[in-house]
Amino acid sequence: RSVYDDQPNAHQRFMEKLDACIRNHDREIEKMCNFHHQGFVDAITELLKVRADAEKLKVQVTDTNRRLQDAGKEVIAQTEEIIRCRVQQRNITTVVEKLQLCLPVLEMYSKLKEQMNVKRYYSALKTMEQLENLYLPRVSQYRFCQIMIENLPKLREEIKEISMSDLKDFLESIRKHSDRIGETAMKQAQQQKTFSTALQKQNNVNYGRNMHLGRSRILESKNDIALKRTFEEDDEHEEEVLTAQDLVDFSPVYRCLHIYSVLGDGEIFENYYRKQRRKQARLVLQPQSSMHETVEGYRRYFSQIVGFFVVEDHILHVTQGLVTRTYTDELWNMALSKIIAVLRTHSSYCSDPDLVLELKNLIVVFADTLQGYGFPVNRLFDLLFEIRDQYNETLLKKWSGLFRDIFEADNYSPIPVANEEEYKIVISKFPFQDPELDKQSFPKKLPMSQSVPQIYIQVKEFIYASLKFSESLHRSSTEIDDMLRKSTNLLLTRTLSSCLQNLIKKPHIGLTELVQIIINTTHLEQACKYLEDFISNITNISQVTVHTARLYGLSTFKDARHAAEGEIYTKLNQKIDEFIQIADYDWTMSESDGRASGYLMDLINFLRSTFQVFTHLPGKVAQTACMSACQHLSTSLMQMLLDSELKQISMGAIQQFNLDVIQCELFASSEPVPGFQGDTLQLAFIDLRQLPSVFFQLHQSTYLVGFFPFQMTFLTCLCHLLFYFSRMKDSSKKNNIFAQFRKNDRDKQKLIETVVKQLRSLVNGMSQHT
């Protein structure tokens, strides 16, 4: 049995050894036989004797052996099967032992491959570390382990390349979607600010009570409705609100940072990230050339910048050392300088106040958003004050056009009101008070024209528009009040004043329109105090405050009124000149027509009708206009007689001219404008009255009946001229009361004195010579 339990060929070796042992025994037997031959013979004899028995025994043994072999075949088969199973079992045990050492390595490597497939590179690096330090040294004698060891560095490089590629994709993605990130962040900041403002308004019991009537209440109610709808929509979509960070998958950054940190290349990664982000910052800060043309251009520009810095702020707080506060502050200061330069340049191209206002609102939301992320934005609010000046300039240009349109559309006639309802409509637009007019029955006319309430409404609209820019600037009510008053002063003193001056100078504006302009400016001047109250009600700042600025409307309308008065004097004189130009005197007529010239009667009728319109003007203005017209008429008629081209005058022409002078004196004595004392107005024609008398005296002193004075001697002419100018000098001294009206009178007096001195010297010299 032990033979069969040994190795497979043990039976054969056993049989070989047994044969050798038999041969050895045969030789020993042979020796023994030789030694014991007799005994052998005897034994043979005995064997022969027992041959038969031996044959029988052999048969029995053979039979027994056969029967034994037949019985052992099954046992032998089972024994061989058992041997084979024992060998397999031993082999299996050996394999199991070896596999138990290799399986953890294979499992870890499989896990590594799976992590690589699902892009869990940081975990894959941890798995590599465990493989190298713990598992692979146990089975390093196997060839597949050597292959693994050779592949691990390649996998590390592959992980670095993949993670860097993912980082590049991430940087490219946030560069493309930074505007959406920024837009979301700005929207959230604006909603938060709106909510805070709503709470503040709700808690402020007195909010809005001092707002001006009408429009402010309507705006306030509309804002409340809009705010309520906004809150309701926010409540409905509260679960869907995403933060700016939710829009970005930052896992590529985390993975790349962890991978490079594990591989010992963290500093290389930080430098690369910061370098790429600086490049992106320069791209983000670069504006489009047409950005200033639309609000969307500015919105996209701000959204990209906000998105950039929101990402950087998030990276700053969730990573350690990738970016630092110093780095972000440096980047923000660089960006802020560029932003301010860009806004200064592009805002200067904006000519639409609505666009400038939208830009201001965007800058405020932009600043509030970044301030919420910890970035300093004071320079942006300082920039807003510069843009406010630009906004005011655009408003002034816009309102200049509105004022021109109002003046062009005005009929320059008093406003007719047929009933109480129409009167209240006008009063609601313009603060007009006149107790005398209130006592009159309907229909009646208000003294100002349609442009007055329209101008007043537009000034209030300008104040509202200017106030819109002052909102959300984090300024006190006193500063806002000061801003509104300064901008309103600019509107009155520059824009409205310029429009009035241009209006007055327009050739189609006649005397009636000028009179109405003077009346309009008077009422607008009186309305300035209501504008001051209006601003105080809006800002809730009392006018008794020491630092409260005053409106300069008084001086503006006074200047416009003085310009209109001067233009009235000028146009009256021009009209007089037009009538004088059509005068057709026949200086050689033998006798007069017996009545005043037609052109002069038309001129006097024109002056009468014109001065009737002047009844609505202040008394001094009407008197000055009347006195100026009479003086100009007198001067024009005198210049007609003293014209250098006039060579001779007949007595009939002098008589006709005298009739015209009489009509002028009658017009002056009829008091066309009330308020003159005595014969003040008649004195305007005293010089003109003396001139015909001189000509009469000249005529009587000549021998020629027909014409004069060129038939007289030169000395006689000088004497008569000296007499005339001396009389003129004396009369001018008596009439010095008119010097206050015109500067020309003073110049004329000096000229007359000079002429008298020169004539006197000539006459004295020629008399001595004669």
Side-chain angles (χ1 to χ4, degrees):
R1 182 178 296 177
S2 62
V3 172
Y4 290 103
D5 291 340
D6 290 337
Q7 295 181 359
N9 296 325
H11 179 266
Q12 182 177 358
R13 290 195 298 271
F14 172 74
M15 293 302 295
E16 291 174 354
K17 291 180 181 180
L18 183 59
D19 291 338
C21 185
I22 291 173
R23 285 193 298 271
N24 291 333
H25 282 294
D26 287 342
R27 284 193 298 269
E28 290 179 0
I29 292 172
E30 184 177 357
K31 290 178 181 180
M32 288 297 293
C33 290
N34 290 332
F35 181 72
H36 299 285
H37 185 264
Q38 187 60 41
F40 176 71
V41 173
D42 293 341
I44 290 299
T45 302
E46 290 182 7
L47 283 175
L48 290 174
K49 292 179 179 179
V50 293
R51 176 181 292 178
D53 295 332
E55 291 292 338
K56 183 188 285 187
L57 180 61
K58 181 179 178 182
V59 172
Q60 292 178 352
V61 170
T62 303
D63 183 57
T64 301
N65 182 56
R66 181 181 55 76
R67 288 187 286 108
L68 181 61
Q69 290 294 331
D70 292 338
K73 285 181 181 179
E74 186 177 355
V75 176
I76 293 171
Q78 293 294 329
T79 302
E80 291 177 353
E81 184 67 24
I82 290 173
I83 293 171
R84 187 169 56 257
C85 290
R86 294 282 177 87
V87 172
Q88 291 177 351
Q89 186 178 7
R90 185 173 61 249
N91 293 338
I92 290 172
T93 302
T94 304
V95 171
V96 169
E97 292 177 355
K98 300 301 180 181
L99 287 177
Q100 286 177 348
L101 291 176
C102 296
L103 278 178
V105 179
L106 296 174
E107 290 175 355
M108 292 298 290
Y109 196 79
S110 176
K111 182 180 178 181
L112 173 62
K113 287 294 186 180
E114 183 178 356
Q115 291 170 342
M116 293 286 292
N117 292 332
V118 298
K119 298 182 179 181
R120 295 175 57 192
Y121 302 117
Y122 181 70
S123 300
L125 289 175
K126 293 295 185 182
T127 303
M128 288 184 194
E129 185 178 356
Q130 292 179 359
L131 276 173
E132 287 181 329
N133 299 330
L134 184 61
Y135 293 98
L136 286 177
R138 299 177 182 176
V139 290
S140 58
Q141 70 274 18
Y142 297 108
R143 188 165 59 88
F144 73 90
C145 293
Q146 297 298 325
I147 296 174
M148 290 182 182
I149 293 173
E150 293 174 359
N151 286 337
L152 290 181
K154 297 178 180 179
L155 290 175
R156 282 195 177 90
E157 291 299 324
E158 182 181 354
I159 289 174
K160 286 180 65 175
E161 293 176 359
I162 293 174
S163 61
M164 184 56 69
S165 176
D166 291 343
L167 177 67
K168 291 178 180 179
D169 293 340
F170 166 80
L171 294 175
E172 181 67 20
S173 176
I174 61 173
R175 188 183 71 82
K176 292 180 179 179
H177 300 93
S178 58
D179 55 342
R180 184 187 174 197
I181 300 169
E183 184 178 355
T184 304
M186 292 171 66
K187 186 180 297 183
Q188 292 170 354
Q190 191 172 12
Q191 290 175 353
Q192 184 176 3
K193 183 178 180 181
T194 304
F195 181 74
S196 302
T197 305
L199 291 179
Q200 184 179 2
K201 289 182 180 180
Q202 187 176 1
N203 294 330
N204 188 0
V205 178
N206 295 324
Y207 178 80
R209 290 185 178 179
N210 294 325
M211 296 295 286
H212 198 265
L213 296 175
R215 171 182 174 141
S216 298
R217 293 178 179 174
I218 295 173
L219 289 175
E220 190 174 288
S221 61
K222 288 182 178 180
N223 291 336
D224 292 340
I225 295 172
L227 188 61
K228 182 177 180 182
R229 290 179 178 174
T230 302
F231 287 157
E232 291 176 354
E233 292 176 358
D234 290 343
D235 292 337
E236 292 177 359
H237 303 287
E238 184 176 2
E239 297 180 357
E240 300 178 2
V241 174
L242 296 177
T243 63
Q245 290 79 8
D246 295 334
L247 299 175
V248 183
D249 180 16
F250 289 94
S251 57
V253 182
Y254 306 149
R255 285 197 300 266
C256 202
L257 175 61
H258 292 162
I259 288 168
Y260 273 77
S261 299
V262 170
L263 298 176
D265 295 333
E267 186 176 354
I268 296 175
F269 172 73
E270 293 172 7
N271 294 333
Y272 175 81
Y273 177 83
R274 295 181 185 181
K275 181 179 178 181
Q276 294 300 318
R277 289 298 279 168
R278 282 194 181 94
K279 290 181 179 179
Q280 289 188 348
R282 294 187 183 95
L283 292 176
V284 167
L285 295 172
Q286 190 67 29
Q288 296 181 355
S289 59
S290 60
M291 184 180 72
H292 62 278
E293 297 178 357
T294 61
V295 179
E296 290 301 321
Y298 286 107
R299 192 188 305 277
R300 181 176 177 82
Y301 180 69
F302 287 132
S303 298
Q304 289 178 345
I305 296 173
V306 171
F308 178 88
F309 283 99
V310 165
V311 170
E312 289 303 289
D313 180 76
H314 184 75
I315 294 295
L316 172 66
H317 288 88
V318 299
T319 60
Q320 296 180 354
L322 181 56
V323 294
T324 61
R325 176 57 67 181
T326 303
Y327 161 79
T328 55
D329 290 343
E330 178 185 352
L331 201 60
W332 168 246
N333 290 331
M334 180 272 293
L336 189 58
S337 300
K338 179 67 175 178
I339 292 168
I340 291 175
V342 168
L343 292 179
R344 277 201 184 106
T345 302
H346 285 266
S347 63
S348 62
Y349 297 130
C350 295
S351 58
D352 184 6
D354 295 332
L355 180 59
V356 179
L357 184 62
E358 289 289 340
L359 173 59
K360 168 257 175 182
N361 293 331
L362 285 176
I363 293 176
V364 171
V365 175
F366 173 74
D368 290 341
T369 303
L370 289 175
Q371 190 174 28
Y373 284 93
F375 295 99
V377 293
N378 293 332
R379 292 174 62 188
L380 285 174
F381 283 102
D382 294 338
L383 175 66
L384 284 175
F385 285 96
E386 299 179 19
I387 298 179
R388 182 197 64 188
D389 297 336
Q390 173 69 17
Y391 176 70
N392 285 337
E393 289 297 326
T394 57
L395 284 182
L396 293 176
K397 291 180 181 179
K398 178 180 179 180
W399 257 258
S400 177
L402 293 175
F403 289 153
R404 287 196 299 269
D405 294 340
I406 291 173
F407 289 140
E408 289 293 333
D410 194 10
N411 57 5
Y412 297 98
S413 301
I415 302 176
V417 287
N419 48 48
E420 183 72 22
E421 183 178 355
E422 293 183 3
Y423 181 74
K424 289 181 178 179
I425 291 175
V426 177
I427 297 302
S428 64
K429 297 178 180 178
F430 181 76
F432 174 76
Q433 295 179 357
D434 189 351
E436 296 296 330
L437 186 64
D438 293 341
K439 296 177 182 178
Q440 298 178 11
S441 60
F442 293 98
K444 52 188 176 182
K445 292 183 178 181
L446 302 181
M448 64 277 189
S449 64
Q450 290 289 350
S451 62
V452 173
Q454 294 176 2
I455 291 293
Y456 183 78
I457 291 173
Q458 287 302 323
V459 172
K460 290 171 63 177
E461 291 292 332
F462 176 86
I463 295 173
Y464 276 122
S466 182
L467 177 64
K468 289 180 180 179
F469 195 93
S470 301
E471 295 174 348
S472 305
L473 291 184
H474 307 297
R475 297 294 173 180
S476 63
S477 299
T478 304
E479 291 176 314
I480 294 176
D481 183 86
D482 187 59
M483 294 177 193
L484 290 180
R485 292 178 186 273
K486 287 181 179 179
S487 59
T488 306
N489 279 332
L490 282 176
L491 177 72
L492 296 177
T493 59
R494 195 171 78 184
T495 304
L496 183 56
S497 176
S498 176
C499 291
L500 285 171
Q501 296 292 341
N502 293 334
L503 175 67
I504 292 169
K505 297 296 182 182
K506 287 186 176 181
H508 70 276
I509 298 297
L511 293 171
T512 305
E513 288 80 2
L514 289 172
V515 171
Q516 188 62 53
I517 289 173
I518 293 176
I519 298 172
N520 291 347
T521 54
T522 302
H523 289 284
L524 287 172
E525 179 182 342
Q526 296 172 356
C528 284
K529 63 179 182 179
Y530 296 100
L531 291 175
E532 290 185 348
D533 296 338
F534 176 72
I535 295 175
S536 299
N537 290 332
I538 289 178
T539 59
N540 200 19
I541 297 296
S542 175
Q543 293 189 34
V544 299
T545 305
V546 178
H547 302 288
T548 301
R550 298 298 177 185
L551 296 183
Y552 301 145
L554 300 178
S555 60
T556 297
F557 297 121
K558 284 182 180 178
D559 294 341
R561 191 157 53 250
H562 291 329
E565 293 170 2
E567 193 67 19
I568 286 177
Y569 307 150
T570 302
K571 286 187 178 294
L572 269 176
N573 295 340
Q574 290 176 354
K575 200 68 178 177
I576 292 172
D577 291 339
E578 292 176 4
F579 280 100
I580 294 297
Q581 288 176 1
I582 63 175
D584 188 15
Y585 280 104
D586 183 6
W587 300 109
T588 61
M589 66 174 55
S590 58
E591 59 182 28
S592 66
D593 294 338
R595 62 178 183 276
S597 302
Y599 85 92
L600 186 67
M601 296 305 299
D602 293 339
L603 173 59
I604 291 175
N605 292 332
F606 164 76
L607 292 177
R608 289 185 187 279
S609 61
T610 300
F611 291 145
Q612 288 178 357
V613 179
F614 286 6
T615 55
H616 298 291
L617 288 175
K620 186 178 180 180
V621 177
Q623 293 171 14
T624 304
C626 184
M627 178 59 72
S628 173
C630 290
Q631 286 184 339
H632 185 73
L633 176 58
S634 176
T635 304
S636 299
L637 291 174
M638 186 178 296
Q639 290 176 352
M640 187 185 300
L641 282 177
L642 300 178
D643 190 359
S644 61
E645 296 181 358
L646 184 61
K647 304 300 182 181
Q648 57 186 6
I649 303 176
S650 67
M651 190 61 190
I654 295 176
Q655 292 174 352
Q656 182 65 39
F657 191 81
N658 186 53
L659 291 175
D660 293 343
V661 173
I662 293 172
Q663 286 298 324
C664 293
E665 292 173 339
L666 290 175
F667 170 73
S669 62
S670 66
E671 196 175 4
V673 174
F676 287 105
Q677 296 180 357
D679 57 351
T680 302
L681 193 59
Q682 290 90 321
L683 293 178
F685 297 99
I686 189 169
D687 294 340
L688 190 63
R689 165 55 55 200
Q690 292 173 355
L691 190 59
S693 300
V694 171
F695 278 111
F696 278 123
Q697 294 174 8
L698 289 172
H699 185 271
Q700 292 173 359
S701 65
T702 59
Y703 293 99
L704 295 177
V705 178
F707 303 102
F708 63 90
F710 302 105
Q711 293 81 355
M712 299 184 294
T713 65
F714 187 62
L715 178 59
T716 306
C717 289
L718 289 178
C719 291
H720 285 288
L721 287 175
L722 177 60
F723 169 75
Y724 167 70
F725 280 105
S726 298
R727 292 285 304 275
M728 185 180 294
K729 174 183 175 183
D730 295 337
S731 64
S732 298
K733 288 183 178 179
K734 293 178 182 179
N735 298 335
N736 59 0
I737 186 175
F738 304 126
Q740 59 178 334
F741 297 111
R742 307 193 72 181
K743 181 177 179 295
N744 294 335
D745 294 337
R746 297 193 297 272
D747 298 337
K748 177 181 175 183
Q749 179 69 21
K750 293 179 181 179
L751 181 61
I752 291 174
E753 292 177 355
T754 303
V755 172
V756 168
K757 291 179 181 179
Q758 293 176 353
L759 286 174
R760 185 175 285 114
S761 63
L762 287 173
V763 170
N764 292 335
M766 293 186 67
S767 298
Q768 293 176 1
H769 177 71
T770 303

